[in-house]
């Protein structure tokens, strides 16, 4: 779940988008894919239970 938490951070999304553009991806498509991924991860955040740290 730590991986999903990192993916939801805006800096991670910006970094991945920047890397994709550097390797030749179309910036418009990168933005669309990033928005779709953010939407899916946001939906997961709503439905997945939070984990307590002491249990």
């Amino acid at each position: 779940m730590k991986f999903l938490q990192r993916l939801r951070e805006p800096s991670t999304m910006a970094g991945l988008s920047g890397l994709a553009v550097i390797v030749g991806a179309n910036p418009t498509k990168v933005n669309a894919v990033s928005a779709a991924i953010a939407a899916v991860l946001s939906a997961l955040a709503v439905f997945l239970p939070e984990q307590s740290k002491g249990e």
Side-chain angles (χ1 to χ4, degrees):
M1 294 310 281
K2 212 171 209 182
F3 178 72
L4 290 178
Q5 290 172 342
R6 291 291 300 207
L7 278 179
R8 285 192 300 241
E9 294 177 4
S11 59
T12 302
M13 293 299 274
L16 291 174
S17 297
L19 285 173
V21 170
I22 287 171
V23 297
N26 180 339
T28 304
K29 289 181 182 178
V30 169
N31 288 336
V33 170
S34 295
I37 291 171
V40 169
L41 292 175
S42 296
L44 285 173
V46 170
F47 294 108
L48 292 176
E50 292 187 29
Q51 296 177 349
S52 59
K53 294 191 179 197
E55 297 174 19

